[in-house]
């Protein structure tokens, strides 16, 4: 290799190695960040976990005065608000995606699509203050009294809608969360629906199927994996969402049967209490909550990514 | 016959439900933007941009918070974006198909959707606890950590759009990959990279949770990076939850400022990308 012997080429080779090393280092840093997050959370949570043991996740008590902490109420609040939000947002998002891909006049397709995507960029704190100042009063005056009077007396689901209309609480937080993840879910589903080959849909129409039948029997089965992936990604967002929830959840560390009662979630507990936490055990318990949230969201997001990846591979495999 | 009617009925029913869903979604989102604009404009005045955050009952503005947000966002993006861009370069140019890059890509996507409050706790543990106090620097690092995955993702996507033939031509002239990347690939992907940068800035400038226990807040004018610094999201959070009308008005004003800047950033990013695509379309 005579070329490398000349000084210029040797310098080039050094630059090449240097550049590659720098980019590799930056890429490895991503792994280190995730590792660092895990290690620092475990270290911070360790005093609380050692003190309370596994009971930490099974106890409802949360008492800074007596230094008794348990994560059950925040876990319950996180799971219930996220699931309720998905219950509201997934069918609506599905409807919007369907409208955008199958029904929308072409002239409106881009404007509505762009509006949906831009709204996904609105910071979550905006949804939070809107929930507190606009949505909560409306719910308190109209929807909640109606629910208490009519649904609250029914056997079975009645207890879910009992108690005074606070305005803020689990239900309000779920609605705000649903509105927040809605653009995201609608945009993901639309992208997934767009990957369905036109040929398949045309074949359905050719057999005399109605639009709905084509959607239900062709589009949905074809995009099942991607839809589930998108929904789980939305769920991951809902689980970890802090600001939209903190404003309207009420921050009460207890588990109520009623969805109208105030509650708390993992992220809103941390946001509300962390800077005011006095004492090592209190701080450590809040970090332990963070660790739990990290584990839960990691599992959900990883599963979602795995599904979306499978979809991508399939799309590459059959162009 | 009856079956045909019920099929058509079901078709009409579900399609109208889909229209209702779209209407409902758009109505909610219009309601939010409408409230934001009307309340925000009511809370807006010259004072918002010229005075400091006030004590309850006093008049004041958001100048220190706007300054703090700008400083921390710029500092965060100037740390996070280059790291993300370099890592994205590795994935697109060196690590194609390798196992390591598959893992990194996966972890990056997890970080991309990880709750930002977790990043706040992480930075609290490694910086705030060590230094013994809250600081603007810690806030900026937290924002940088959030910007890295965004920047990595867009960089990789944009570099992958650069035609293979361009890179091959450069290699055929005897250029090493680093030279190709710097002199051919980056310039070719310039507008895409700018788009990614704008999106990353938009992403971090509205973040509240990671700043709550890193930068904290500061009622006064401060340019000291080693001390707590005011910032719009945390000020909005505190003022909106306060019982004082003046503070709530300022919170709405701040919310409008943040949302408007983020929308401007996102729209510009989109325009650049649209221009890029139309250029590409006319070339081929």
């Amino acid at each position: 290799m005579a070329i490398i012997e000349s000084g210029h080429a040797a310098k080039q080779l050094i630059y090449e190695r240097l550049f590659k090393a720098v980019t590799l280092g930056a890429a490895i840093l991503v792994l280190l960040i995730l590792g660092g997050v895990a290690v620092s959370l475990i270290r911070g949570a360790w005093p609380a976990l050692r003190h309370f043991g596994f009971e930490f996740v099974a106890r409802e008590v949360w008492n800074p005065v007596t230094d008794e902490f348990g994560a059950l109420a925040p876990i319950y609040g996180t799971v219930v608000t996220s699931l309720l939000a998905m219950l509201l947002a997934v069918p609506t998002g599905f409807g919007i995606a369907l409208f955008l891909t199958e029904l929308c006049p072409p002239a409106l397709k881009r404007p509505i699509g762009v509006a949906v995507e831009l709204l996904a960029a609105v910071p979550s704190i905006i949804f939070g203050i809107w929930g507190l100042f606009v949505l909560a009063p409306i719910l308190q005056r109209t929807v909640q009294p109606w629910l208490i009077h009519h649904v609250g007396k029914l056997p079975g689901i009645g207890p879910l809608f009992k108690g005074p209309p606070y305005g803020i609480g689990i239900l309000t937080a779920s609605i705000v969360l649903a509105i927040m993840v809605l653009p995201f879910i609608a945009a993901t589903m639309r992208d997934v629906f767009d990957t369905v080959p036109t040929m398949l849909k045309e074949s359905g129409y050719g057999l005399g199927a109605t639009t709905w039948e084509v959607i239900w029997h062709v589009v949905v089965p074809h995009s099942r994996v991607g839809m589930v992936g998108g929904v789980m990604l939305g769920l991951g967002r809902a689980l970890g969402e802090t600001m939209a929830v903190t404003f309207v959840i009420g921050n009460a560390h207890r588990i109520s049967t009623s969805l109208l009662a105030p509650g708390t979630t993992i992220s809103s507990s941390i946001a509300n209490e962390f800077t005011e936490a006095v004492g090592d055990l209190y701080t450590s318990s809040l970090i332990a909550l963070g660790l739990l949230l990290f584990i839960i969201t990691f599992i959900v997001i990883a599963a979602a990514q795995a599904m979306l990846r499978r979809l991508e591979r399939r799309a590459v495999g059959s162009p | 016959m009856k079956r045909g009617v019920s099929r058509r009925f079901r078709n009409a029913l579900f399609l109208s439900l889909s229209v209702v869903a779209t209407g409902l979604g758009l109505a909610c989102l219009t309601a939010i933007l409408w409230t934001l604009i009307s309340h925000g404009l009511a809370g807006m005045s010259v004072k918002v941009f010229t005075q400091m955050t006030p004590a309850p009952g006093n008049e004041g503005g958001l100048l220190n918070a706007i300054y703090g947000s700008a400083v921390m966002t710029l500092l965060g993006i100037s740390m996070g974006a280059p790291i993300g861009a370099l890592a994205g370069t590795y994935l697109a140019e060196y690590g194609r198909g390798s196992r390591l890059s598959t893992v990194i890509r996966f972890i990056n996507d997890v970080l991309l959707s990880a709750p930002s409050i977790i990043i706040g706790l992480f930075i609290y543990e490694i910086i705030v606890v060590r230094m013994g106090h809250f600081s603007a620097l810690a806030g900026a690092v937290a924002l940088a950590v959030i910007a890295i995955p965004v920047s990595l993702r867009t960089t990789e996507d944009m570099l992958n759009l650069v035609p293979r033939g361009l890179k091959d031509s450069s290699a055929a002239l005897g250029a090493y990959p680093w030279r190709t990347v710097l002199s051919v690939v980056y310039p070719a992907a310039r507008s895409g990279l700018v788009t990614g940068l704008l999106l990353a800035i938009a992403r971090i400038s509205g973040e509240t949770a990671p700043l709550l226990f890193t930068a904290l807040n500061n009622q006064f004018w401060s340019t000291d990076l080693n001390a707590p610094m005011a910032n719009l999201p945390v000020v909005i959070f505190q003022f909106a939850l306060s019982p004082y009308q003046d503070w709530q008005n300022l919170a709405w004003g701040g919310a409008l400022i943040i949302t408007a800047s983020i929308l401007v950033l996102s729209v510009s990013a989109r325009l650049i990308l649209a221009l890029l695509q139309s250029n590409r379309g006319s070339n081929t």
Side-chain angles (χ1 to χ4, degrees):
Chain A
M1 296 291 266
I3 307 167
I4 294 177
E5 258 127 51
S6 76
H8 178 68
K11 220 187 267 171
Q12 288 284 314
L13 192 61
I14 292 171
Y15 286 146
E16 171 61 22
R17 289 201 177 130
L18 205 65
F19 187 71
K20 188 171 177 184
V22 169
T23 56
L24 178 64
I28 301 257
L29 190 66
V30 173
L31 299 183
L32 291 182
I33 288 176
L34 193 84
V37 170
V39 170
S40 68
L41 285 183
I42 292 173
R43 259 186 45 177
W46 187 244
L49 293 180
R50 201 183 44 197
H51 190 268
F52 297 116
F54 270 107
E55 263 182 56
F56 180 71
V57 294
R59 280 152 38 116
E60 196 189 329
V61 60
W62 189 270
N63 191 338
V65 181
T66 58
D67 258 358
E68 293 285 315
F69 300 102
L72 198 58
I75 293 177
Y76 171 84
T78 303
V79 171
V80 170
T81 50
S82 302
L83 290 184
L84 262 180
M86 298 317 279
L87 206 66
L88 296 170
V90 170
T92 319
F94 177 79
I96 296 178
L98 205 157
F99 178 81
L100 284 176
T101 48
E102 309 294 332
L103 300 174
C104 189
L108 283 179
K109 196 169 170 167
R110 257 189 79 77
I112 298 185
V114 170
V116 167
E117 280 166 32
L118 284 182
L119 285 161
V122 171
S124 56
I125 191 168
I126 307 299
F127 291 90
I129 51 175
W130 180 78
L132 178 67
F133 287 115
V134 180
L135 185 67
I138 293 178
L139 290 178
Q140 188 174 23
R141 277 197 308 270
T142 59
V143 179
Q144 293 189 345
W146 186 89
L147 282 173
I148 294 164
H149 271 278
H150 295 87
V151 190
K153 294 194 180 100
L154 297 177
I157 59 163
L160 291 177
F161 302 98
K162 274 208 157 77
Y166 290 101
I168 52 175
I170 298 270
L171 183 69
T172 313
S174 311
I175 296 175
V176 172
L177 265 184
I179 297 175
M180 209 202 83
V181 293
L182 182 61
F184 182 75
I185 290 185
T188 321
M189 284 204 182
R190 180 203 54 188
D191 293 346
V192 176
F193 287 171
D194 273 338
T195 63
V196 179
T198 319
M199 183 96 80
L200 277 182
K201 288 193 266 183
E202 299 290 340
S203 320
Y205 288 120
L207 289 170
T210 60
T211 311
W212 172 250
E213 283 163 348
V214 168
I215 289 158
W216 195 246
H217 296 293
V218 178
V219 175
V220 168
H222 191 272
S223 19
R224 204 184 303 126
V225 181
M227 277 168 63
V228 175
V231 167
M232 301 216 4
L233 221 47
L235 178 63
R237 288 203 158 190
L239 286 168
E241 177 47 44
T242 310
M243 299 323 289
V245 175
T246 306
F247 278 95
V248 291
I249 189 83
N251 201 33
H253 277 273
R254 69 181 121 107
I255 299 174
S256 316
T257 345
S258 175
L259 297 178
L260 306 180
T264 190
T265 68
I266 294 179
S267 51
S268 69
S269 298
I270 302 173
N272 269 320
E273 300 172 37
F274 197 78
T275 43
E276 281 145 32
V278 197
D280 291 340
L281 204 56
Y282 194 0
T283 309
S284 173
S285 298
L286 285 167
I287 296 179
L289 282 183
L291 179 64
L292 286 174
L293 180 65
F294 178 67
I295 296 170
I296 299 172
T297 48
F298 185 88
I299 293 171
V300 171
I301 298 168
Q305 292 299 347
M307 283 182 187
L308 289 173
R309 245 148 248 259
R310 219 169 86 193
L311 183 81
E312 250 167 55
R313 268 208 300 281
R314 202 177 61 187
V316 171
S318 59
Chain B
M1 214 31 223
K2 197 164 170 237
R3 196 174 146 73
V5 171
S6 89
R7 279 180 59 209
R8 245 172 291 150
F9 172 73
R10 192 180 304 182
N11 187 44
L13 174 73
F14 282 113
L15 295 190
S16 2
L17 279 181
S18 143
V19 177
V20 170
T22 311
L24 198 70
L26 289 178
C28 282
L29 300 164
T30 328
I32 291 175
L33 286 186
W34 171 248
T35 322
L36 181 64
I37 292 170
S38 59
H39 283 58
L41 286 180
M44 204 57 79
S45 68
V46 186
K47 288 196 197 98
V48 170
F49 300 97
T50 54
Q51 297 189 3
M52 305 302 149
T53 47
N58 290 3
E59 286 208 324
L62 295 168
L63 180 61
N64 49 342
I66 295 173
Y67 170 82
S69 269
V71 166
M72 280 187 275
T73 304
L74 287 180
L75 215 61
I77 202 72
S78 50
M79 287 187 277
I83 295 176
L86 285 171
T89 308
Y90 178 81
L91 294 188
E93 303 300 331
Y94 291 110
R96 276 168 176 273
S98 82
R99 171 163 253 143
L100 177 68
S101 24
T102 314
V103 173
I104 291 175
R105 210 169 282 128
F106 186 77
I107 295 298
N108 190 66
D109 281 350
V110 170
L111 278 179
L112 198 59
S113 357
S116 54
I117 194 162
I118 300 283
I119 305 297
L121 282 180
F122 167 55
I123 300 301
Y124 173 85
E125 281 286 305
I126 63 165
I127 297 187
V128 177
V129 169
R130 287 236 167 120
M131 300 202 335
H133 56 85
F134 299 103
S135 69
L137 198 64
V141 174
L143 293 182
V145 170
I146 291 169
I148 289 175
V150 185
S151 162
L152 187 156
R153 187 67 196 269
T154 44
T155 306
E156 193 198 354
D157 289 349
M158 293 306 156
L159 296 191
N160 279 335
L161 286 179
V162 176
R164 185 82 241 159
L166 218 54
K167 299 176 194 170
D168 289 345
S169 323
S170 169
L173 289 172
Y176 275 105
W178 75 272
R179 188 91 228 166
T180 305
V181 167
L182 290 186
S183 318
V184 177
V185 178
Y186 280 169
R190 199 187 321 126
S191 18
L193 295 177
V194 172
T195 308
L197 186 68
L198 293 181
L199 288 179
I201 298 176
R203 169 73 203 269
I204 62 171
S205 51
E207 284 293 349
T208 315
L211 294 178
L212 280 174
F213 19 86
T214 50
L216 203 65
N217 196 356
N218 192 336
Q219 209 195 315
F220 306 102
W221 176 260
S222 162
T223 53
D224 185 1
L225 289 179
N226 204 17
M229 193 182 262
N231 54 89
L232 277 175
V234 175
V235 168
I236 295 172
F237 178 52
Q238 290 184 349
F239 280 17
L241 283 174
S242 78
Y244 313 109
Q245 189 61 42
D246 301 344
W247 276 17
Q248 291 181 3
N249 287 344
L250 278 176
W252 280 110
L256 181 61
I257 296 175
I258 283 198
T259 313
S261 5
I262 289 175
L263 289 185
V264 166
L265 284 168
S266 311
V267 169
S268 339
R270 219 158 271 281
L271 283 180
I272 295 176
L273 210 60
L275 270 175
L276 181 79
Q277 269 157 2
S278 69
N279 276 345
R280 182 153 293 146
S282 62
N283 284 344
T284 47

